[in-house]
Amino acid sequence: MLAIGEFSRMTHLSIRTLRRYHEAGLLEPEQVDASSGYRYYTVEQIPTAQVIHRLRELDVPLPDVRRILRSPDPDQRAALVAQHLGRLEAELARTRAAVGSLRRLLVPEPPPLEVELRAEPAATVAAVADDVDADDVIGWYAGAMAELDAVLGPTAEGPPGGLYDNALFERGRGRMVVYRPAVDPPTRGRVQPVTVPAVELVVTTHRGEHDDVDVTYGELGAWVARNALTVAGPVRERYLVGPRDTDDPDAWRTEIGWPVFRVGPRPDGGRLGR
Amino acid sequence: MLAIGEFSRMTHLSIRTLRRYHEAGLLEPEQVDASSGYRYYTVEQIPTAQVIHRLRELDVPLPDVRRILRSPDPDQRAALVAQHLGRLEAELARTRAAVGSLRRLLVPEPPPLEVELRAEPAATVAAVADDVDADDVIGWYAGAMAELDAVLGPTAEGPPGGLYDNALFERGRGRMVVYRPAVDPPTRGRVQPVTVPAVELVVTTHRGEHDDVDVTYGELGAWVARNALTVAGPVRERYLVGPRDTDDPDAWRTEIGWPVFRVGPRPDGGRLGR
DNA sequence: CTGGAGTCTCCCCCTGGGGGAGGGCCCAGA
DNA sequence: TCTGGGCCCTCCCCCAGGGGGAGACTCCAG
C-alpha cells in the first residue's frame, strides 16, 4: 500500500490533485483509513493515473475522464477518446481561423461598404427554430440545416437564411431561426412553416470567410448609428453563396440585414417574438 | 453615442463581457454618465473591440491584450502578437505530444523493465541549481543547460544529469539541480561546484521521447514499492543519449535513479538538502 | 406621467488548479 | 513506551474569465 506522497512521486500527479481526483470519483484510493482519513493506493493504480494525466493534458473535462475510465468496452472507450480528439481538431481550426482573421484585421484594406435600405415583404418559409446558447450556434445550425434539406429535398426555391435574436449576442443565448424558402412549407419533425414579417431592412453583403462576419456587422452597425436608425427585431442573414455552393471561401456571399425603425418606436425591444 | 446593448450587437461581445473589459481597462467607454453610470461607446471603438475579440479567441490573457492595445508602435505590437502565436505553437506541440503518448499508453507493449540496484559514489560536478515551479521545469532546464555549456565548453566528461526534489512532483515546486561532470568545476554566473552525495540508487533506463517518462517513473516506483524500499532523497536523471546527441527520439536514453534506504530511516524525508 | 425595456451594481457559481492554517497520524529511535 | 518530526487530513481563500440572477435605477415613447 502506498501513501499519497509516494503515489504522487510515482505518477507525477501532485498530492492536491490526487485528492481532487479522489473527491471527483476519478481515482479512488484502494483503501481509505476510516479513522485517520489517510488515502492508500496500490501500484496497480499507477497506469490508471497515467491515463488520467494524459487526458487532462488534452483538457478533457474531469466528468468526461470519469466516463472514459468507467466504460468497460475498449471500443466504446476508444470512441470517447476519439470524440475528444475531434474536439481538439475543432479547437485548432477555430484558432487558425482567429489567426487568419486577426491578420486580415490588422492589415485593413477597407472594402467599399455598400449599404441598401430595402422594404422587405413578409414571406412564409420552412423553418427550424429554437432557443440556443451562443457557443452552440454552429452545431445547431448544421443540424437544423441538415434537417431542412432532408425534409425539403435538393431543389431550392432560393438561398437559405436565418434570423438571430439580438439577445444571442447581448446575453449569449437567444432564439435562432434557420429557414429555406418553400412553396407550401411542410410540418415534419422540427421543420415548421414560419412567416417572416415584413420589415424595413438595412442590408449589406459580407464577402468571404464567415469568421470575419462580425467586422461587417460592425460596419453595418456604424452605418445604422450614423443614419440615426434604431434596431427593431432580430438580425437576418441570407446565405447567397456558401459552402454548399462552392469550396472557394472567397466566393462566399452572406447578406446581412438589420431591421430598423426611423427614430421612433421599438415595439418589441429588438427581440424576436414567438 | 451608443448604449452598451447597441455596441454589443455591433461587436458580438456580450454586455457582461463589455462591462468586464471596461473594468479591466481594455475598452473604456467614450463616456460614462456620472450620475447613472450608463456606458456610452462610439462607432470608432468598434474596430478595437474586434481586435480584442480576436485576441481573446486566441486565449491571450486580458493584461496582455491591454499591453498590445496600448503599445503605440506597430512593430512592437506585431512582436507582442507574434509572441502569443509562439505560445500557441508550443501549446500545439504539447497537445501533439500528449496525443502520441496517450496512444502509446493505450496500446501497451510492456518492455522488459531492467532495474539495477547500484551503489553510486559521491561526485563533484559543475551545476546550476534553483527552486523552480513545476510548469517552468522545461524552460529552466534549457536555460541552465545552455549556461553550463557556455561555461564548460563542448568537451564533455560524461553525460549531463539532474536532481529533482520530490516536492517538485508532490507540491508543484521544488529544488532542481542540473549538472555536467567536470574536473575542477568552476564558479561562474549561476554555475557552481556541487557535490552529489553517495547513495544507494535504484536505476532503470527510459527509452525514447521524454513525454512518456512518467510511465517509467511509475514502473520504477512499483519496483521500489514491491521490494520494500523507501525513497531517500531527490530523484536523479542522467541524459545518456538526448536531443543534443541525435535527432532520432527513439534513440534517446535517460537513466532514472531513485535513492533508497532499506526499510529503515528517512533522514530528510526525501527532500533535497541545501 | 407612466410603463416597460435597458442598464446599473452586487453577489454567487463554474472549472481545475494552488496557497496556507491548524491539527491529527505514523513510526523510527531512544 | 514515549517522543519528535515528517506526513497527511480538512477547511477556507484565491486565480482567470466567464455566466446567472436579484434588486434598484434610468431612459424614453406614447
Side-chain angles (χ1 to χ4, degrees):
Chain A
M1 284 303 208
L2 305 166
I4 197 169
E6 302 176 275
F7 196 70
S8 165
R9 286 195 285 271
M10 295 178 190
T11 58
H12 290 184
L13 292 167
S14 81
I15 292 179
R16 298 193 93 98
T17 299
L18 286 171
R19 286 203 270 251
R20 218 188 330 274
Y21 290 172
H22 176 199
E23 199 179 351
L26 277 194
L27 185 61
E28 316 258 357
E30 182 70 22
Q31 184 190 318
V32 178
D33 187 298
S35 73
S36 72
Y38 274 36
R39 296 167 175 85
Y40 294 101
Y41 298 82
T42 66
V43 292
E44 283 73 31
Q45 299 188 279
I46 294 174
T48 306
Q50 285 161 349
V51 171
I52 296 176
H53 201 164
R54 295 298 184 286
L55 292 173
R56 284 301 306 140
E57 280 179 330
L58 299 177
D59 287 322
V60 177
L62 296 189
D64 297 28
V65 174
R66 198 186 322 136
R67 260 191 291 281
I68 291 173
L69 292 177
R70 293 206 177 153
S71 67
D73 178 10
D75 286 353
Q76 184 186 351
R77 190 187 300 217
L80 286 169
V81 171
Q83 184 181 323
H84 278 284
L85 296 183
R87 185 184 49 76
L88 289 175
E89 288 282 346
E91 220 162 82
L92 180 59
R94 191 185 67 101
T95 299
R96 257 199 273 271
V99 170
S101 178
L102 179 61
R103 223 187 298 277
R104 285 190 290 270
L105 211 54
L106 294 180
V107 187
E109 26 184 310
L113 185 68
E114 288 162 27
V115 179
E116 178 194 351
L117 185 56
R118 177 207 296 170
E120 185 83 3
T124 298
V125 295
V128 176
D130 203 357
D131 275 2
V132 178
D133 279 324
D135 339 300
D136 302 334
V137 163
I138 306 287
W140 188 88
Y141 176 90
M145 192 55 83
E147 189 160 348
L148 275 172
D149 288 344
V151 169
L152 297 181
T155 53
E157 304 287 328
L163 280 73
Y164 302 93
D165 191 341
N166 287 307
L168 205 47
F169 309 120
E170 297 173 19
R171 270 179 295 282
R173 182 179 178 80
R175 194 166 181 75
M176 221 178 128
V177 180
V178 173
Y179 69 82
R180 272 181 55 186
V183 286
D184 194 18
T187 300
R188 200 179 316 164
R190 293 188 295 169
V191 177
Q192 288 183 330
V194 162
T195 298
V196 180
V199 82
E200 201 79 2
L201 209 57
V202 173
V203 177
T204 193
T205 299
H206 172 78
R207 296 153 180 271
E209 292 275 7
H210 217 261
D211 309 312
D212 296 323
V213 83
D214 60 340
V215 174
T216 305
Y217 267 78
E219 290 166 349
L220 191 58
W223 191 93
V224 165
R226 274 194 285 265
N227 286 272
L229 296 169
T230 177
V231 170
V235 174
R236 302 180 180 193
E237 296 189 357
R238 271 174 59 206
Y239 308 104
L240 307 179
V241 183
R244 46 168 58 206
D245 305 306
T246 169
D247 281 343
D248 173 22
D250 290 339
W252 295 347
R253 295 293 179 269
T254 305
E255 187 182 276
I256 298 171
W258 284 27
V260 291
F261 271 78
R262 298 211 159 275
V263 187
R266 268 182 265 189
D268 59 359
R271 281 206 206 81
L272 184 59
R274 305 292 154 93
Chain B
M1 285 302 209
L2 305 166
I4 197 169
E6 303 175 276
F7 196 70
S8 164
R9 285 195 285 272
M10 295 179 190
T11 57
H12 291 184
L13 291 167
S14 81
I15 292 178
R16 297 193 95 98
T17 299
L18 285 172
R19 285 203 270 252
R20 217 188 330 272
Y21 290 171
H22 175 200
E23 200 179 349
L26 278 195
L27 185 61
E28 316 259 357
E30 182 70 24
Q31 186 190 315
V32 178
D33 187 296
S35 74
S36 71
Y38 273 37
R39 296 165 176 87
Y40 294 101
Y41 298 82
T42 67
V43 292
E44 282 73 31
Q45 299 187 279
I46 293 175
T48 306
Q50 284 161 350
V51 170
I52 296 176
H53 201 163
R54 295 297 184 286
L55 292 174
R56 284 299 307 140
E57 281 179 330
L58 299 177
D59 287 323
V60 177
L62 296 189
D64 297 28
V65 174
R66 197 185 324 136
R67 261 191 291 280
I68 291 173
L69 292 177
R70 293 203 177 155
S71 67
D73 177 11
D75 286 353
Q76 185 186 350
R77 189 186 301 217
L80 286 169
V81 171
Q83 184 180 323
H84 278 285
L85 297 183
R87 186 183 49 76
L88 290 175
E89 289 282 347
E91 220 162 83
L92 181 59
R94 192 185 65 100
T95 299
R96 257 200 273 271
V99 170
S101 180
L102 179 61
R103 222 186 298 277
R104 284 189 289 270
L105 210 55
L106 294 181
V107 188
E109 27 185 308
L113 185 68
E114 287 161 27
V115 180
E116 178 194 351
L117 185 56
R118 175 206 296 169
E120 186 84 3
T124 298
V125 295
V128 176
D130 204 356
D131 275 2
V132 178
D133 278 325
D135 341 299
D136 302 334
V137 164
I138 306 285
W140 188 89
Y141 176 90
M145 192 55 82
E147 189 160 348
L148 275 172
D149 288 344
V151 169
L152 296 182
T155 53
E157 304 286 329
L163 280 72
Y164 302 92
D165 192 340
N166 287 307
L168 205 48
F169 309 119
E170 297 173 19
R171 270 179 294 282
R173 182 178 178 81
R175 194 166 182 75
M176 222 178 126
V177 180
V178 173
Y179 69 83
R180 271 183 55 187
V183 286
D184 194 19
T187 300
R188 200 178 318 163
R190 293 187 295 167
V191 177
Q192 287 183 332
V194 163
T195 298
V196 180
V199 82
E200 201 79 1
L201 209 59
V202 172
V203 178
T204 192
T205 299
H206 173 78
R207 295 150 181 274
E209 292 275 6
H210 218 261
D211 309 312
D212 295 323
V213 83
D214 60 341
V215 174
T216 305
Y217 267 78
E219 290 166 349
L220 191 59
W223 192 94
V224 166
R226 275 194 284 264
N227 287 271
L229 296 169
T230 177
V231 171
V235 173
R236 302 180 179 193
E237 295 189 356
R238 270 173 61 206
Y239 308 103
L240 307 179
V241 183
R244 45 167 59 205
D245 305 306
T246 169
D247 281 342
D248 174 21
D250 291 338
W252 294 347
R253 296 291 179 273
T254 305
E255 186 183 278
I256 298 170
W258 284 27
V260 290
F261 270 78
R262 298 214 157 272
V263 188
R266 268 181 268 190
D268 60 358
R271 278 202 210 82
L272 185 60
R274 303 293 153 95

